[in-house]
Amino acid sequence: MTKPDGELDPLWQNLDWAIGQMLIMGWDGTEITPQIRNLIENHHLGSIILTAKNLKSAEQTAALVQELQTIAHQAGHPQPLLIALDQENGGVNSLFDEDYICQFPSAMGVAATGSTELAYSVAKATATEVSAVGVNLILGPVLDVLTNARHQPLGVRATGDDPQEASQFCIAAINGFKDAGVATCGKHFPSYGNIDFLGSSLDMPIITQTLEELSLSALVPFRNAISAGRLDAMFVGGVGIQSAGMNVMHACLSDQVVDDLLRNELGFKGVAISECLEMQSLIQEYGVKGGTVMAVEAGNDLVLLCRAHDVQLEAISGLKLGVENGIISKERIHTSLKRVLKMKNACTSWQKALNPPGLSLLSKIHPSHLALSRKAYDQSITVVRDKDNLLPLSQSLLQEEELLLLTPLVKPLPASAATKSLLEKGTKANPSLHERWIHQERGAIMSGEGVFRELGRSIARIRNGKLLHTSYTANGLRPVHENLINRASAIIIVTADANRNMYQTGFTKHVAMMCHMLRGTGQKKSLIVVAVSSPYDFAMDKSIGTYVCTFDFTETAMASLVRALYGEITPQGSMPGTMRKSKKVSKTRQQWLVENYDRERDGAALGELLRTLARSSTPSLPYLTASAHSFELFNPHVEEAHFVVRNSSTKTLYGFVATYFTKGVGAIGALFVDPTKRNVSIGRSLHRRAMRALLQKQGLKTLQLGLTFPGVFPGVPVDESGSNKSWFDNVGWDTQFPKRLTNMVIDDLGAWTAPEGLLQSIQRASISFDLIHGLDNAESVLNHVATHAGPEVVELYRFALQETNTSGVVRAKNSVDNLLGTVIICTAASRLSTYIPALHSIHGEDIGGIIAPIVPSTAQSRLILQGLAFMGVRQNKAHKSAKSVLSWVSKAELLKLFVSIIANILRFLMKHMSL
């Protein structure tokens, strides 16, 4: 428990209780063992990880979790246990129950749909199901970027190789998890998407990229997910890092990775969870006691020990010894304890933990989740190429012609009936090095083509039993295969991670060559290759004329594949990441119909588009706090024209652009496109129409990107990859020398105090300040703004002055009453929050504004600006505002303020480039 002021309950002064909350442990078996009971009752273990080895069904899981929580409750635990689970979908699910738990596509499969809305829905459905059986922490989403996509063991568990696309889909997933009431844990920091297996004696993978290289790609989704503000925990991997800037043997044991990189550089304030410390390399190098102490020293809050009871007891002993030796302080333990307890408070309670809804809820939601599962899988099926128009097979293959299905021998996915059957039979296997690192040790080796038996049956049913089906192995093309190929008119070859199982590549190319030769003799030999895991198997091999991807080979995915092969659905999926973009290059000249924005017709759809963008963007972008009203000024001094690309049948908006013209200045004030409709020229079409409208204005002198009023986008948002800047480069804007604008926020205005010596400096300079409202005394202010800023800033000031009860202008003057500078201040009730989203509160707290400081460049400009900001903050504080926002400050001004006024309590809210 924590007290309201953040102090810890006296119970946590007991070292045994505190240490128990810093460990997350598991065990093998589907029932409570004396060992796990002992850990909870006597060692006060606060967090449990469940795996497929613990779970038989939804009903059994709910009962098991309820029993765990009851043991903890009866043992006097102040808060419930954290119950963590891997439920990534696709090939990595710990809980399988075909009657109650739905199967959904892998992360890459969901990305193939192109829909962040679908990603959100799938994540929410998944979290709702596992929450029903008592799970309160999902170990996901996977935030890794596949830097070397074709050779990474993560495969379809990651979204793809594009950092920005990965960010969008991962943030959507996080929002889905959180809205279902479970805690989230991003993984695998700093990255499992770019690891090399160097065959070292360490028996572990290595990251060889420099920190600079990681920052440009691999770290982008982690940074964006942290900025989004809803990520509760971060799973820190056990990889080594060998690069010029860092030489680390185990990332999760390094303070350079956890404290410096994750916390200090990326600003993560949540719970850091270590990789499982039962790694053989770690045990050999440091021992479990030493490794556990190192993990805590590095900055981890929860140390993972998966299943070995003797190792778990050793870890507990190691932490106690670390405290006794003075290596770990009580303050350090309490820091982690507060983070863990805060996460528990957010995702569970005793009422919730002891009464999971279980089957009663699962049975109600199952039909709708099944429909969502089918929709997601159907939309994920991707036809990369179909040169000879072989699809659908119902049109290219006669019923009397024979079809051959060739499938590899693979291990079944954990979330499958095949695996469940094998586990019940007790089949076991020793995982390879790769398999241990991709968390698939829960599966089992399956002899024969059993994994794809149901696929064969489904195709056979459509063809009235007319199907040839056999498997292939590393033994290559055998006489039996040659005989069947000679008989068949069409051949389907299934591959599963052929880049890591090279025999599949060789076999497929051999068959393709044989088919090519037989076609040369006049025989019909249609060849379709289906990649059922990594889409990169033959993505770039144009010799494979028809290539289809499913992104996993669960029974649900195979059912959607059959529907796609036979034309029941039209495949809509696309290759993830950079391959999606490269495929759509040919579409960049597509012309979209652009229509005038109609408030009555399009207002609701624009609001929905903004909500869609908010779900797949970081909070630093204004979509969450902007509304359809934010773009319409209804100002007689400003001409505005807005345009949309819309689906006239569904009334959905695909994109929106806002334009404004006042006193010779034309501006594009906003331009955005539905994330699922990008890279098909919607943005270009909107931009073209906006430019045409502005260039027709009489008296046009200047064109600019971004606008102060309305201030939804003061400029082009700055992103890590530079993709926004590049886009505007490509459509003709000069972005070489932009003016940097930044919004800043004081989160705790109550803690702000005036900088020492500032008032005395202002008095010595004979600078005075006053506050005016209304237009009666505003002529000098408006003239000052018109002289030193654009005409839209004049309209912003005019608007603020007219709001006499909620806004005003602070003037800085010298001893002879000459105007030196101005700034707008406003209260939370001001209508300016409609047009400047940074002033709009998400959580209901009052936000005061300090907007558009106008100070000419003089010897005193720095002091004047400091004084204006000081007066603004003081006014906001006097009006009982909880926060204060300083809106659109240029980079040079920002540095002055940052150093001298509010450095201790200031954070960046949004950065733009004004062009």
Side-chain angles (χ1 to χ4, degrees):
M1 292 179 291
T2 55
K3 296 181 179 181
D5 61 1
E7 292 183 9
L8 288 170
D9 189 275
L11 172 73
W12 302 117
Q13 298 300 324
N14 182 305
L15 186 63
D16 290 346
W17 274 101
I19 284 176
Q21 296 299 308
M22 294 180 64
L23 298 163
I24 176 168
M25 296 177 173
W27 82 101
D28 288 343
T30 56
E31 297 178 353
I32 303 294
T33 62
Q35 290 82 6
I36 198 68
R37 181 184 289 273
N38 171 54
L39 289 170
I40 297 170
E41 290 180 339
N42 300 320
H43 297 284
H44 317 298
L45 176 65
S47 301
I48 299 287
I49 183 170
L50 298 176
T51 71
K53 292 184 177 181
N54 303 119
L55 312 177
K56 294 192 294 187
S57 66
E59 184 175 19
Q60 175 265 342
T61 302
L64 181 70
V65 173
Q66 190 174 34
E67 186 178 359
L68 287 167
Q69 296 287 19
T70 300
I71 292 169
H73 190 251
Q74 292 174 351
H77 283 235
Q79 287 180 295
L81 302 171
L82 279 177
I83 306 292
L85 189 73
D86 268 320
Q87 196 79 356
E88 295 177 19
N89 289 315
V92 181
N93 279 355
S94 296
L95 177 58
F96 171 75
D97 187 329
E98 57 190 346
D99 295 324
Y100 294 104
I101 303 296
C102 281
Q103 175 67 44
F104 293 102
S106 63
M108 193 178 290
V110 171
T113 70
S115 171
T116 52
E117 285 284 283
L118 195 58
Y120 170 84
S121 299
V122 165
K124 187 175 181 181
T126 300
T128 302
E129 291 180 350
V130 299
S131 177
V133 298
V135 173
N136 48 41
L137 172 61
I138 281 192
L139 299 177
V142 171
L143 296 170
D144 304 283
V145 178
L146 296 178
T147 307
N148 185 4
R150 289 161 185 78
H151 302 287
Q152 289 305 317
L154 275 178
V156 296
R157 294 176 61 201
T159 298
D161 63 354
D162 182 278
Q164 294 302 331
E165 184 173 281
S167 299
Q168 289 176 356
F169 279 91
C170 290
I171 289 170
I174 290 169
N175 289 334
F177 292 151
K178 292 291 288 180
D179 289 350
V182 302
T184 60
C185 177
K187 57 187 184 185
H188 309 81
F189 189 82
S191 179
Y192 277 7
N194 54 330
I195 50 181
D196 288 323
F197 288 87
L198 303 177
S200 70
S201 59
L202 297 176
D203 194 35
M204 58 181 277
I206 302 293
I207 296 173
T208 57
Q209 289 177 299
T210 65
L211 284 179
E212 290 75 14
E213 290 169 333
L214 287 172
S215 183
L216 290 173
S217 179
L219 293 181
V220 170
F222 292 95
R223 183 181 292 110
N224 288 340
I226 291 168
S227 298
R230 302 193 78 186
L231 191 63
D232 300 288
M234 188 73 79
F235 184 92
V236 184
V239 294
I241 304 175
Q242 293 181 2
S243 66
M246 188 179 291
N247 191 358
V248 169
M249 191 168 292
H250 300 280
C252 61
L253 304 187
S254 169
D255 59 354
Q256 286 181 275
V257 175
V258 186
D259 269 347
D260 293 348
L261 183 57
L262 177 60
R263 294 206 186 280
N264 296 337
E265 188 169 328
L266 299 190
F268 183 63
K269 293 179 172 58
V271 174
I273 304 176
S274 78
E275 172 66 276
C276 179
L277 298 193
E278 295 179 21
M279 296 179 290
Q280 194 61 37
S281 59
L282 184 145
I283 291 173
Q284 293 294 327
E285 188 74 22
Y286 306 111
V288 173
K289 286 184 180 180
T292 307
V293 171
M294 289 178 68
V296 173
E297 272 196 293
N300 292 285
D301 305 299
L302 280 174
V303 180
L304 175 60
L305 295 121
C306 298
R307 55 177 61 89
H309 187 59
D310 58 336
V311 173
Q312 292 166 343
L313 292 177
E314 192 178 346
I316 294 171
S317 174
L319 279 183
K320 292 180 181 178
L321 200 58
V323 175
E324 290 175 15
N325 288 346
I327 301 172
I328 302 173
S329 67
K330 281 193 175 182
E331 289 74 21
R332 171 68 192 85
I333 289 177
H334 289 165
T335 296
S336 286
L337 187 58
K338 288 177 183 177
R339 291 181 186 135
V340 173
L341 295 179
K342 181 181 178 182
M343 182 164 73
K344 285 190 174 186
N345 284 332
C347 70
T348 188
S349 66
W350 279 123
Q351 173 62 29
K352 184 178 178 181
L354 295 174
N355 303 282
L359 300 190
S360 61
L361 174 61
L362 290 173
S363 59
K364 289 178 184 176
I365 61 179
H366 196 58
S368 63
H369 285 195
L370 276 178
L372 177 63
S373 169
R374 177 166 175 156
K375 175 185 177 182
Y377 271 108
D378 284 353
Q379 291 186 16
S380 71
I381 303 298
T382 299
V383 177
V384 180
R385 287 183 300 276
D386 186 19
K387 289 181 182 177
D388 299 320
N389 297 316
L390 302 182
L391 300 177
L393 282 171
S394 54
Q395 295 181 13
S396 66
L397 187 67
L398 300 175
Q399 193 68 24
E400 60 270 17
E401 293 178 317
E402 295 210 78
L403 174 63
L404 171 62
L405 176 64
L406 296 169
T407 55
L409 297 184
V410 296
K411 182 170 62 175
L413 296 173
S416 68
T419 295
K420 187 176 181 182
S421 172
L422 283 171
L423 290 175
E424 287 171 354
K425 293 176 183 177
T427 307
K428 296 181 179 178
N430 294 319
S432 69
L433 175 60
H434 269 228
E435 290 160 350
R436 287 201 299 275
W437 279 95
I438 60 173
H439 293 259
Q440 289 193 350
E441 71 273 13
R442 308 179 188 93
I445 296 296
M446 186 175 191
S447 60
E449 62 277 355
V451 171
F452 299 107
R453 189 173 296 139
E454 185 55 37
L455 171 62
R457 288 173 180 159
S458 298
I459 295 174
R461 280 193 290 271
I462 293 175
R463 294 184 52 77
N464 297 322
K466 217 172 169 63
L467 176 74
L468 307 170
H469 181 193
T470 191
S471 59
Y472 65 93
T473 68
N475 292 326
L477 198 68
R478 313 299 293 168
V480 64
H481 299 127
E482 293 180 0
N483 292 335
L484 292 172
I485 291 168
N486 281 314
R487 282 178 56 182
S489 297
I491 300 98
I492 299 174
I493 302 180
V494 171
T495 64
D497 290 312
N499 284 305
R500 297 205 309 273
N501 299 286
M502 294 305 295
Y503 78 90
Q504 296 180 21
T505 302
F507 181 87
T508 301
K509 289 187 174 182
H510 197 159
V511 173
M513 183 177 66
M514 185 176 174
C515 289
H516 179 74
M517 292 173 61
L518 291 172
R519 281 195 296 270
T521 66
Q523 298 183 53
K524 181 179 179 180
K525 296 295 170 192
S526 302
L527 177 63
I528 299 170
V529 175
V530 179
V532 296
S533 188
S534 169
Y536 301 105
D537 289 358
F538 291 95
M540 305 303 292
D541 190 341
K542 301 297 176 62
S543 68
I544 304 299
T546 300
Y547 183 52
V548 182
C549 302
T550 69
F551 305 96
D552 71 58
F553 47 92
T554 56
E555 291 89 341
T556 320
M558 294 300 95
S560 289
L561 170 64
V562 173
R563 288 194 289 274
L565 290 175
Y566 278 89
E568 292 181 35
I569 60 170
T570 301
Q572 301 173 356
S574 57
M575 289 291 286
T578 55
M579 295 198 70
R580 188 203 312 274
K581 293 177 180 178
S582 64
K583 185 179 179 182
K584 290 183 177 177
V585 167
S586 60
K587 299 182 181 180
T588 56
R589 296 188 181 277
Q590 181 176 345
Q591 297 282 344
W592 290 82
L593 289 175
V594 178
E595 303 178 49
N596 291 320
Y597 172 75
D598 183 303
R599 188 182 319 110
E600 291 186 9
R601 181 194 67 194
D602 301 323
L606 178 55
E608 184 56 39
L609 176 57
L610 288 166
R611 286 188 288 275
T612 297
L613 286 158
R615 282 192 284 268
S616 60
S617 304
T618 64
S620 62
L621 293 172
Y623 302 119
L624 191 61
T625 48
S627 70
H629 302 294
S630 300
F631 305 98
E632 293 188 282
L633 291 176
F634 304 109
N635 185 315
H637 303 285
V638 181
E639 297 178 48
E640 50 187 316
H642 313 319
F643 306 96
V644 297
V645 170
R646 58 190 288 269
N647 184 320
S648 59
S649 300
T650 65
K651 316 303 181 190
T652 304
L653 290 194
Y654 292 161
F656 173 84
V657 64
T659 70
Y660 306 87
F661 178 74
T662 179
K663 294 185 178 178
V665 176
I668 294 179
L671 196 165
F672 45 83
V673 175
D674 186 323
T676 67
K677 298 294 181 182
R678 290 175 183 166
N679 303 309
V680 291
S681 285
I682 291 175
R684 285 175 177 267
S685 298
L686 286 166
H687 180 265
R688 192 180 301 114
R689 181 67 183 87
M691 292 298 290
R692 187 182 303 121
L694 291 171
L695 291 170
Q696 290 172 353
K697 298 295 183 183
Q698 294 293 322
L700 178 70
K701 300 175 184 175
T702 304
L703 279 172
Q704 68 183 45
L705 281 176
L707 205 64
T708 306
F709 186 55
V712 182
F713 290 100
V716 179
V718 175
D719 62 327
E720 293 291 337
S721 67
S723 59
N724 290 333
K725 178 176 176 291
S726 296
W727 192 90
F728 284 102
D729 274 336
N730 292 334
V731 294
W733 288 87
D734 182 0
T735 63
Q736 280 192 313
F737 304 106
K739 180 183 179 183
R740 299 275 178 168
L741 301 174
T742 303
N743 287 340
M744 301 181 295
V745 61
I746 303 173
D747 277 320
D748 185 3
L749 194 55
W752 177 84
T753 56
E756 189 175 342
L758 178 59
L759 285 174
Q760 292 87 339
S761 298
I762 291 171
Q763 289 168 354
R764 283 196 299 271
S766 299
I767 301 172
S768 61
F769 299 91
D770 65 0
L771 175 65
I772 66 167
H773 304 275
L775 292 172
D776 294 342
N777 302 313
E779 185 177 354
S780 63
V781 169
L782 295 177
N783 288 338
H784 168 79
V785 176
T787 302
H788 300 290
E792 80 276 9
V793 186
V794 176
E795 297 309 317
L796 172 62
Y797 268 74
R798 195 191 309 275
F799 184 94
L801 287 162
Q802 288 172 325
E803 282 207 317
T804 55
N805 294 324
T806 58
S807 302
V809 172
V810 174
R811 301 185 297 185
K813 296 182 291 183
N814 62 15
S815 57
V816 294
D817 220 28
N818 290 330
L819 193 57
L820 304 176
T822 58
V823 70
I824 296 169
I825 61 165
C826 65
T827 68
S830 171
R831 287 195 301 129
L832 280 172
S833 64
T834 300
Y835 302 108
I836 302 176
L839 303 176
H840 187 83
S841 170
I842 303 172
H843 305 295
E845 69 271 69
D846 286 352
I847 298 178
I850 307 167
I851 306 163
I854 306 297
V855 179
S857 181
T858 66
Q860 286 188 313
S861 58
R862 172 174 175 164
L863 186 61
I864 296 165
L865 183 62
Q866 290 172 339
L868 289 169
F870 167 72
M871 296 299 294
V873 173
R874 195 163 72 172
Q875 283 290 323
N876 289 166
K877 193 171 182 179
H879 284 99
K880 309 299 183 185
S881 297
K883 297 182 178 182
S884 190
V885 167
L886 183 58
S887 185
W888 68 274
V889 183
S890 76
K891 189 174 182 182
E893 294 162 345
L894 169 64
L895 289 173
K896 300 167 191 173
L897 288 170
F898 190 88
V899 170
S900 57
I901 297 185
I902 39 183
N904 293 333
I905 48 178
L906 190 70
R907 68 176 171 87
F908 296 107
L909 189 63
M910 182 162 56
K911 297 180 182 178
H912 292 89
M913 297 180 296
S914 179
L915 305 174

